[in-house]
Structures are given as structure tokens and as C-alpha cells.
Amino acid sequence: MMKTNDNTLPEYNPHLIEPEIQKLWETNKSFEVTEDTTKEKDYCLSMFPYPSGKLHMGHVRNYTITDAISRFKRMNGKNVLHPIGWDSFGLPAENASMQNKKPPSEWTHTNIAYMKEQLKQMGFSYDWKRELATCTSDYYKWEQWFFIQMYKKNLVYRKNSIVNWDPVDKTVLANEQVIDGRGWRSNAIVERREIPQWFLRITNYAKEILEDTDTLNWPDEVKQMQKNWIGQSKGTEIIFIVENLDYKIKVFTTRPDTLFGATFIAIATEHPLVKYANQENINDFIEETKKTAINEAAIETLEKKGVFSGLYAIHPLSGDKIPIWIANFVLIEYGTGAIMSVPAHDERDHAFALKYNLPIVQVIKPKDNSNIDISSEAFTQKGILINSCTSDKYNNVSFDDMNFNEASDAINSLLIDNNLGAVKTNYRLRDWGVSRQRYWGCPIPMINCEQCGCIPEDEKNLPVLLPIDNINLDNGSPLKTMKEFYETNCHICKSKAIRETDTFDTFFESSWYFARYCSYDADVMLDDRVSYWMPVDQYVGGIEHAILHLLYSRFFQKAMADILPYTIDSLKEHILPREPFTSLLTQGMVLQGGVKMSKSKGNTVDPQELIDKYGADTVRLFTMFAAPPTISLEWSNTGVEGAYRFLKRFWRLATNHIKNVSLKNNNSTNIVHSKLNSKQKNIRNKIHSTLAKVIDDYNRRFTFNTVIAALMELTNALNKFEISDDIDTYIYDEGIKIIILSLSPITPHISSKLWEMMGNNPDITFIDFPVVDTEALEVDQLEIIVQVNGKLRAKILVTKDLEDDELKSTALENQNVKKFVTSTPKKIIIVKNKLVNIVV
Ligand code: ANZ
Ligand code: ZN
């Protein structure tokens, strides 16, 4: 046996190795990339962090995943772009600033510096020259510019809009920031307010975004969430004429078959018809509804209320006169802001009709003719029409006995022929309101000129700089009171003008940062380098961004593809991709005690403490080993200890081997598999089948946990392998090298160091990933006859040329053989590759 235990071997010391290897990468610029057309590109991206102060375990997990993928792909010959930056505008900086009495910009940049240091300590293989922070003017200048381009293309408009107003945070809230009618941060009861705001016409792209969803290699769940959010709904718009008024109300319905059951119209409080209503009756009601939030979820749970407007509408086909109500459950933003109410067949309308004593007329009966009691409950299924007949005006046409499809088609045709309706596809998706009444964001580059009205700032004057000195946040956004910010002159007529003091929603910044990484230093928004790198091949991030961030990014990518080739010279010849992220992986949460690790629950583990104690490789190894990336990971201190012990064990095994054999010409090309003995073949089979599994798991499933488990098993097998000759040493060496390289995407520092100690260049960034020797995968198996006292008792399958000892023990373990071998065998006779005869 050649292995010795030698106390002079260096101990595994991550605190020495890791800075040394990181320094080497920095000197070599190992992860900097350019557009090398001779190589296949691969763009691997993590969702960029908000610089909240320090890294948390969620970051560590997310960034280790993309780092492992990036490193693996580099070793497979890909030209890998793996960038990082900071999503650094946003409300928390303002809140922290008020608490800590530090300006938001200072707070943000201090955090960035600290977290950057932590990312470096983790050994993530970023191309740091591309680092960007969205709060810097070299970044936001270009989004101001792009906003102006969208404005020119009519993708931007301003409108007075009702918003959810948080009276405590003094800001407009997005619908999803309203939880149970209260502000997500302040918990204050949200009010409605009407203010002028800027909107992006994302709805122009609703259809394309919806249709392209199916082309994406994303989790089904995320694709479904995108589709639901876009909310396509095919239906009919039907015109009702208001009695005594020259006014047509349009309603949107997905159930034109129920038209003859419409017993009243319900309109939203903000519907234009409301001004013709009997004001005395409705005032209190309108005031009261104003106080409630306007998102659908809130409205679902609301008590349904309404007030009669005093107006009537004429049913388009029956000619009946039906009352018009103003109701709190009708959304102004959806469809036409008005509905035909069919109490017999819609639950909400049914409850409303009962409450206000409105007629309920059944027009659909069950397909199986079963009895229903329409006064107690709505019948909402599709069925067969009854009571559905037009007036004389339309020749008393009856739709009775038709099913849903027949009736819908027939009613639609009649409406269309008489200009009383149109088939319509609606989307639940709303245009994106991007105005925020907040300070720490990108200024919206618009001015209001006394003469010219509301116009974009001159592109030559960009960026519109956000002032960062002497900021007082005590009374809402300081921009609203800083004359030196908002007073300006019109670049067209030189008259006095007032700058827009709102800033962009911070989702604006995260909707295109992935493209800017490609053109990180360009003096235009993007240049032709984007067409080399985009789209992102693998995007990794949290499921919490499954809707808005991804949707907005998809919209931006499409808008950029439509606009930039016509506005940026170097992109003239290029067609940009219309989707930003080809594949998406949503990583699972990090849990502690079964619940999400979070500051508010006080159950966080500080990655910095772990790095300080065990080094980055252990932290990386544990987070990748504890669970596959998409599944939640339960934190375990013993698990971390275990990961550390494994690295120490492997270090010992490898250094021991290096000590013994490093000076020999020790090369796996000396191995001729077919000439090996069975023990050697077996261990090579283990080595190469492990490698095959590792490659498959890296490539296809990103299941790093099984990669690690397989490599741990191989480490154990090598540990047991007895070296008796040079060939054994070569095989052992081959095994050690395969483990080092296979682990390197996950534990790059220890791998680099050991690789160096084996006499190689320590920068393993571009070392080819080991290749499976397929010959070693084949195991020659033979059937062997087992006799007890000369009688056939079993046939067993074993590897060819198995050593006698192993063959004996395999034979004795056989269940049937055991039955006949009740005492210690007297003798065991072996005929190689044929027979075992046990004499008892
Ligand atoms: C009559 C009817 C009869 C309806 C019936 C349903 C069942 P989707 O698009 O699938 O969500 N609706 C339309 N606009 C609305 C608004 N602005 N606020 C609240 N409700 C609105 O569903 C469309 C249905 O939701 C429409 O079809 C309308 O009610 C209601 F037996 O019209 B229906
Ligand atoms: Zn002007």
C-alpha cells in the first residue's frame, strides 16, 4: 500500500486558499468576456440584488446556482456572460435614510460597497467590469432616453388616474402593494385619489406577450401566472341606449347567451354616465366607495353595494326598460366599466338583486332539464336557452332551445348586423402606471412649458439628474419643493417650464438591466453587442418576481426590439430577440424551522458568519447539497458542519495522494481499460459512471445536490481502493482529478488549489470538463452457478474476473444458498468465471 499518513501535509485552510485563488482570478481577469464569435455564447443571469445592507441566504443560494452553471458552461467551451449589478433605487433607502439620518444615496452606496465585498468573498465568477447600479446617472440616463423614444412612438401617455393612495407613506401604491385594503408597508387604510400619471402602453403588447408565453422554457406555474395576469377574455360588447339621453352605454360580457336575462345595468362610480345621474341620491355612496381600494382582490371581498342612478336603459333586443345602477363591484378599468346584470345566472348579480329587490329572470335551463330554484340561487352553468325572444322590431326571433355556442353566435350576429354590438377580446392587464411620488428614483424626463404644454426634456439635456445633496425627506418627496430641481426653461421656446417631480416605478430599472450588461460602457442605451449576448439563456431568481418583473421585462424587450434598430445606428442591421429570458429557474426558499428565513421572523442565518467560520466553499457546498435548486432548503447547522467535514476529508485524500505520487509521470493515458484487472475495472466503472451522472445532472437538471452526493460516494470508494501497483495509482489519480474538476463549479477555491498542487495551472476556469470513458461504463457480467454439496442452489450475476474473496461472499449472501449453508463451510471450490461449490 502506497498511501501514508504524513503529518507534514498542509491542513485544509479555506481562509488561506480562498483569498489567494480570488486574487488569481482578478489578476487573470478570468471572468471578463468579450463577443467572441468563434465560441458559442451563453448568458447566465441571476436577478440582481437590492442593496439592502448585507447578503442574506436567499442571495447566497441564488448566486451560487448561476455561478455553478456559469463555471460548468465555461468548462464546456462556452463563452459565458455572468454579470451582476444593483437594483438600487426604491423606497427602503428612503425609509432607512429617515431612520439613520444618512442620505439615500450615501446609504445605498455604502451598502453596495459592503455587499460587493461579500460577493467577492463568495468567489462568484462575475465579469465585474460590467457591474452597474441603477441609481447612477450613467444607467438611468438611458432609461430617460428610452422613455422619450417610447413617448415618440406613442407608447407613453399621461392621464388622470385613480390610484391607491397611502396616506401615511404619502405615495401611490400599486395594486399588489394593497393588502386587505391597507398599504403593504404602512398598514394604513388605502384611499382613492385622482392624479395625473404617466402610463406605458403595455396593453399594446398583451396579445403578443400572451402568445409568446408558450414558447418559453419556464416553469409551467410561472407561465400560468403570466397568462392569468394578462387575463385574456373573449366576449361581446353590447350597446344599451340610455332612455331620454343621447347616450349609449357599452357593456362587456362573456355570456351574450344570457342577454335576455339582463334586468339591470351596473356601472362603476367613475363611469362618465354618473354625471347624468340624480346627484342627491348618489353622493354619499360615491364618497364612501372612494375610500376603498381599487384592486380586484379587494373588490372580491367587499360587501356589494349600489345605488339607483335614476336612469333607465333600453334593452337592445327586447326593448325592455331596465334600471341603471351604480355599483361598487364594477371596475372602471376593466372592459367598459359597465355591465349588464343577469341575476338569474351570475352569483354577484343575484346577491345584488336580492339585496335591492330587482327582478330575476331565468333564461338558461340545465341541459338535463333538472329542476332549479332561481329565486334562491343563481344557475351559473352553461345550458339551454329559454325566455329569449326579441321584440317585433327584430321580428320576434326566438333563441330558445339553443345551447351556449349556438345562442352566442346567433345573438352576436344579430347585434353586429344592427350595430348594437361587437365581438371583443379584453385583457385584464392594465397599462403600466410608472409614476411614483417618491424621491429615490429616476426623474421622469418631462417638462410642463407655459407655452408648449407637457413635452419631453431635450435629449441633449439628459440625464435629468436626481439631486443627492441636502435631501430632507421629512415631508414626502423633496423634489416637490426643490425649486432648483423643478424650475427650468423650455428647450423649444425658452419660456418658463416646470419639471415633472415624480420618479419612475423601480420596476422600470429592472426591466432592461439585463440588456445594459451587454453594452455596459456604451454611450448609447444599447449597442450591437446586445445582439451577440441576448437573450439571456438561463435566468435564475425568486418566484416572487414571477409576475411583474418578468412581465415588464418581456414588454421592454419587445418595445426595445421595435424601437432601437430604428434609433441606434449600430443596431440598424440587427434584429433583436423579442423575449428576454429563454429559460427560467425559480429557486426555492431558504427555510429555518420550516418557515421562510426572514428578518421579521428573526430566524435568519448570516452568511458572513458562515464564511468567516468555514470559508465560502463550505457555504456554497452546503447550499447546493441541501436541496435541488427549485425546492425549498431547510437550514441545518449540522448540514453545514457535514459539508465542511467532507471538504476536509477530500482535501486529506487528495493531498495524501499528491504527496505520494506527484513526482511520477502519472497520467491516465497510461490506462488501457481492456487490460485492467477486475478490481481496477470496477473502480474505473465507479469513477466514470459517477462522471456521467454528474455531467447529466449539471447539464439537464441543475440538480447539484445529486452531483455532490455522487461525488461524495466516489470519494468513499476511492478511499477504500487499495493501491498495489502503478496502474492502480494512475486510476486513483484519474479519480481524484475527476472529483476535483467535477466539484469545481460548486467549490471552485479548494478545487483550484488542489489542481495546482497536482502540478497544474491553478486557474481552472477554462479547463475542459472531464470526459466519460464509455469503455469504462460497460461492465462484463457473467452468470455463475452456485452449488452446495454439489447440488445447484442458485445462479448469480457477477462482474467478470471477480476476485475469489468477493465471489465467495456474494455466493454466500444469496438467500437460497443461505438456506443450505447453516454452518461454517468446510471448503469452497471455485472454477473461475463458472462455478462456486460450497461444501458444508
Ligand atoms: C353578463 C353575465 C352573465 C356575465 C352571466 C357573467 C355571467 P371575465 O372577462 O371572464 O372576467 N364584468 C365585465 N366587466 C366588468 C367590470 N368592469 N367590473 C366587474 N365585472 C365585469 O368576465 C367577464 C364578466 O364579468 C362579464 O360577463 C360581466 O358579467 C363581468 F351569467 O356579463 B358578465
Ligand atoms: Zn415651450
Side-chain angles (χ1 to χ4, degrees):
M1 193 171 127
M2 293 166 82
K3 277 184 277 183
T4 58
N5 254 328
D6 186 336
N7 292 332
T8 61
L9 289 176
E11 282 289 307
Y12 171 51
N13 184 344
H15 303 297
L16 281 180
I17 298 171
E18 293 181 357
E20 179 194 321
I21 298 295
Q22 286 160 13
K23 180 96 203 114
L24 174 87
W25 292 329
E26 207 164 311
T27 315
N28 288 0
K29 300 188 194 311
S30 303
F31 314 121
E32 291 193 6
V33 279
T34 52
E35 301 68 37
D36 179 348
T37 49
T38 65
K39 277 183 166 181
E40 199 183 328
K41 72 95 184 179
D42 204 292
Y43 187 175
C44 188
L45 184 66
S46 288
M47 291 179 182
F48 64 165
Y50 178 77
S52 52
K54 52 185 185 180
L55 289 190
H56 56 65
M57 284 313 304
H59 291 133
V60 167
R61 191 175 190 198
N62 190 169
Y63 305 151
T64 307
I65 293 169
T66 50
D67 196 55
I69 297 173
S70 300
R71 288 176 181 276
F72 178 76
K73 287 185 166 164
R74 287 190 197 98
M75 295 173 82
N76 283 276
K78 300 280 175 62
N79 193 27
V80 177
L81 175 57
H82 185 218
I84 190 77
W86 309 95
D87 189 11
S88 51
F89 271 140
L91 200 55
E94 290 187 38
N95 293 341
S97 162
M98 283 184 275
Q99 273 167 20
N100 311 332
K101 305 269 173 266
K102 258 191 201 172
S105 126
E106 190 188 321
W107 183 83
T108 304
H109 286 288
T110 311
N111 289 352
I112 289 177
Y114 183 76
M115 291 170 79
K116 179 173 180 177
E117 195 42 50
Q118 291 190 300
L119 292 177
K120 292 204 161 178
Q121 284 183 37
M122 284 297 296
F124 296 137
S125 60
Y126 297 128
D127 182 349
W128 280 105
K129 74 173 185 293
R130 295 169 193 263
E131 177 189 7
L132 58 82
T134 57
C135 66
T136 55
S137 61
D138 3 325
Y139 184 81
Y140 69 68
K141 171 179 178 172
W142 300 113
E143 65 186 43
Q144 292 176 339
W145 177 84
F146 188 59
F147 180 79
I148 295 172
Q149 308 314 305
M150 288 198 280
Y151 179 87
K152 289 182 186 165
K153 289 279 176 335
N154 196 25
L155 281 174
V156 167
Y157 62 97
R158 189 162 114 120
K159 86 168 182 205
N160 267 357
S161 145
I162 303 153
V163 294
N164 300 306
W165 178 259
D166 184 322
V168 169
D169 268 349
K170 294 194 185 66
T171 190
V172 172
L173 298 176
N175 285 338
E176 54 287 350
Q177 294 174 324
V178 179
I179 295 151
D180 297 333
R182 289 171 180 270
W184 65 326
R185 285 180 188 281
S186 69
N187 207 31
I189 294 183
V190 168
E191 298 168 4
R192 292 182 179 197
R193 268 212 184 174
E194 192 168 318
I195 55 170
Q197 299 209 77
W198 293 101
F199 286 83
L200 303 185
R201 289 190 206 277
I202 188 172
T203 52
N204 281 15
Y205 289 90
K207 186 163 181 276
E208 189 193 333
I209 296 174
L210 182 72
E211 284 169 2
D212 287 353
T213 307
D214 283 326
T215 67
L216 301 169
N217 179 22
W218 290 14
D220 287 337
E221 170 199 12
V222 176
K223 291 203 267 193
Q224 197 53 50
M225 285 158 93
Q226 295 263 304
K227 286 183 188 174
N228 293 348
W229 193 262
I230 299 163
Q232 190 184 58
S233 170
K234 293 180 176 170
T236 313
E237 252 177 34
I238 303 176
I239 293 171
F240 285 70
I241 295 188
V242 183
E243 191 193 43
N244 301 330
L245 267 183
D246 184 18
Y247 196 103
K248 294 172 174 172
I249 322 178
K250 275 188 190 165
V251 302
F252 174 70
T253 179
T254 47
R255 294 292 305 269
D257 60 319
T258 65
L259 177 55
F260 290 89
T263 56
F264 62 100
I265 297 284
I267 61 175
T269 51
E270 302 87 0
H271 194 283
L273 185 64
V274 168
K275 64 173 173 290
Y276 300 104
N278 182 338
Q279 298 300 314
E280 270 171 43
N281 281 351
I282 65 170
N283 259 340
D284 288 355
F285 175 72
I286 304 251
E287 282 309 309
E288 191 193 328
T289 8
K290 265 191 192 159
K291 294 205 184 95
T292 55
I294 52 165
N295 66 330
E296 271 186 70
I299 284 180
E300 290 275 296
T301 58
L302 210 70
E303 188 195 343
K304 312 296 178 281
K305 286 187 187 167
V307 62
F308 177 48
S309 69
L311 302 167
Y312 289 89
I314 306 301
H315 189 287
L317 297 184
S318 73
D320 289 350
K321 183 171 141 177
I322 63 174
I324 300 174
W325 281 65
I326 302 169
N328 67 351
F329 62 84
V330 182
L331 300 155
I332 188 63
E333 303 259 284
Y334 186 64
T336 59
I339 66 169
M340 63 176 204
S341 288
V342 184
H345 304 293
D346 180 272
E347 274 166 24
R348 203 168 49 180
D349 297 348
H350 194 270
F352 196 87
L354 287 187
K355 181 166 185 174
Y356 295 106
N357 212 5
L358 293 157
I360 301 175
V361 174
Q362 185 186 354
V363 292
I364 308 288
K365 65 175 184 184
K367 283 181 194 145
D368 61 3
N369 261 317
S370 56
N371 267 338
I372 49 164
D373 175 13
I374 216 73
S375 61
S376 67
E377 203 186 354
F379 175 69
T380 57
Q381 293 163 36
K382 290 171 182 169
I384 305 298
L385 268 67
I386 54 171
N387 300 332
S388 298
C389 189
T390 70
S391 64
D392 310 352
K393 189 172 175 193
Y394 299 108
N395 304 321
N396 303 309
V397 179
S398 169
F399 302 94
D400 289 358
D401 299 328
M402 292 184 180
N403 66 24
F404 170 78
N405 287 332
E406 294 162 345
S408 300
D409 289 348
I411 291 174
N412 284 343
S413 308
L414 186 61
L415 291 169
I416 292 164
D417 291 347
N418 292 286
N419 292 325
L420 293 169
V423 172
K424 179 95 204 249
T425 300
N426 266 327
Y427 296 92
R428 198 145 248 109
L429 181 68
R430 305 272 52 95
D431 276 339
W432 175 13
V434 291
S435 298
R436 293 293 178 274
Q437 294 63 44
R438 277 285 161 190
Y439 158 71
W440 190 235
C442 168
I444 299 178
M446 301 297 289
I447 60 170
N448 213 331
C449 163
E450 286 174 349
Q451 301 299 319
C452 314
C454 198
I455 55 168
E457 176 58 274
D458 190 349
E459 286 172 32
K460 287 195 215 71
N461 294 340
L462 299 182
V464 176
L465 280 177
L466 181 71
I468 52 173
D469 297 322
N470 305 319
I471 292 305
N472 176 0
L473 288 157
D474 292 341
N475 307 300
S477 167
L479 300 182
K480 315 266 170 212
T481 52
M482 288 175 84
K483 282 192 177 164
E484 62 277 33
F485 174 76
Y486 67 72
E487 281 183 352
T488 184
N489 290 311
C490 171
H491 53 91
I492 297 172
C493 73
K494 309 287 177 251
S495 307
K496 277 197 180 134
I498 303 281
R499 235 178 241 304
E500 172 65 74
T501 55
D502 283 354
T503 53
F504 284 135
D505 177 2
T506 56
F507 274 116
F508 205 113
E509 282 87 54
S510 53
S511 298
W512 71 286
Y513 76 108
F514 45 87
R516 182 66 187 176
Y517 284 136
C518 308
S519 303
Y520 64 103
D521 59 354
D523 200 26
V524 284
M525 180 191 187
L526 301 175
D527 59 16
D528 55 355
R529 287 174 287 179
V530 289
S531 65
Y532 176 84
W533 292 114
M534 285 294 291
V536 173
D537 297 276
Q538 183 63 56
Y539 198 29
V540 180
I543 188 87
E544 65 275 19
H545 295 297
I547 300 178
L548 292 182
H549 162 58
L550 294 174
L551 193 74
Y552 293 150
S553 301
R554 297 178 65 198
F555 159 54
F556 258 56
Q557 185 62 33
K558 290 175 194 298
M560 292 191 293
D562 283 340
I563 293 174
L564 300 185
Y566 304 94
T567 43
I568 293 176
D569 285 341
S570 76
L571 284 172
K572 280 222 163 82
E573 308 289 307
H574 294 273
I575 296 170
L576 298 183
R578 299 193 73 82
E579 283 290 340
F581 315 122
T582 307
S583 294
L584 173 72
L585 185 156
T586 46
Q587 98 253 13
M589 283 190 291
V590 181
L591 312 177
Q592 162 100 295
V595 291
K596 186 179 176 178
M597 248 189 208
S598 77
K599 260 193 216 159
S600 61
K601 297 207 185 69
N603 63 347
T604 55
V605 172
D606 184 355
Q608 191 59 48
E609 284 174 17
L610 297 170
I611 301 172
D612 293 345
K613 188 162 174 198
Y614 301 106
D617 279 341
T618 294
V619 182
R620 297 170 59 117
L621 184 70
F622 171 72
T623 36
M624 294 300 97
F625 183 48
T630 54
I631 307 293
S632 48
L633 176 162
E634 180 66 49
W635 188 260
S636 143
N637 289 330
T638 48
V640 185
E641 277 288 344
Y644 186 54
R645 271 201 311 276
F646 167 71
L647 289 183
K648 283 201 292 197
R649 197 162 61 237
F650 180 61
W651 173 270
R652 230 176 292 125
L653 195 74
T655 48
N656 216 337
H657 166 67
I658 292 161
K659 171 94 181 157
N660 289 327
V661 300
S662 63
L663 297 178
K664 282 197 177 179
N665 176 20
N666 161 33
N667 186 323
S668 59
T669 54
N670 294 331
I671 302 169
V672 181
H673 189 79
S674 57
K675 297 205 174 132
L676 302 180
N677 65 30
S678 73
K679 182 192 82 174
Q680 293 166 336
K681 278 187 178 166
N682 280 342
I683 190 77
R684 273 204 99 224
N685 178 268
K686 180 77 186 166
I687 294 170
H688 284 273
S689 57
T690 301
L691 178 59
K693 178 180 171 47
V694 162
I695 292 173
D696 188 52
D697 287 350
Y698 267 128
N699 252 330
R700 206 160 43 93
R701 309 190 295 145
F702 301 139
T703 47
F704 310 109
N705 58 321
T706 54
V707 166
I708 297 164
L711 293 170
M712 286 175 167
E713 236 185 72
L714 178 58
T715 306
N716 289 340
L718 281 179
N719 200 21
K720 285 192 203 133
F721 181 72
E722 305 245 331
I723 294 176
S724 13
D725 61 20
D726 278 355
I727 301 288
D728 285 350
T729 307
Y730 300 149
I731 295 172
Y732 191 86
D733 189 75
E734 182 189 23
I736 296 282
K737 281 180 179 155
I738 282 176
I739 299 176
I740 291 176
L741 294 180
S742 297
L743 270 180
S744 73
I746 298 163
T747 56
H749 309 90
I750 187 173
S751 292
S752 304
K753 189 66 200 174
L754 290 172
W755 191 246
E756 179 185 33
M757 289 165 77
M758 291 187 96
N760 306 297
N761 184 325
D763 194 346
I764 53 176
T765 311
F766 298 107
I767 298 284
D768 288 338
F769 205 81
V771 177
V772 175
D773 179 357
T774 47
E775 208 188 332
L777 295 182
E778 288 159 21
V779 264
D780 308 333
Q781 294 222 304
L782 283 176
E783 200 176 60
I784 297 222
I785 288 174
V786 187
Q787 297 175 337
V788 181
N789 294 341
K791 285 205 176 108
L792 173 66
R793 294 302 179 197
K795 290 177 176 175
I796 55 173
L797 217 51
V798 296
T799 322
K800 194 174 164 222
D801 298 331
L802 200 64
E803 301 287 318
D804 287 0
D805 277 356
E806 278 186 71
L807 187 56
K808 278 182 200 168
S809 57
T810 320
L812 286 167
E813 270 162 27
N814 182 280
Q815 287 307 322
N816 201 46
V817 173
K818 271 189 190 168
K819 277 194 236 162
F820 297 93
V821 183
T822 45
S823 54
T824 319
K826 291 190 185 123
K827 197 157 92 180
I828 299 178
I829 305 150
I830 287 179
V831 183
K832 203 165 167 69
N833 289 332
K834 285 222 169 79
L835 176 132
V836 182
N837 186 13
I838 304 163
V839 181
V840 290

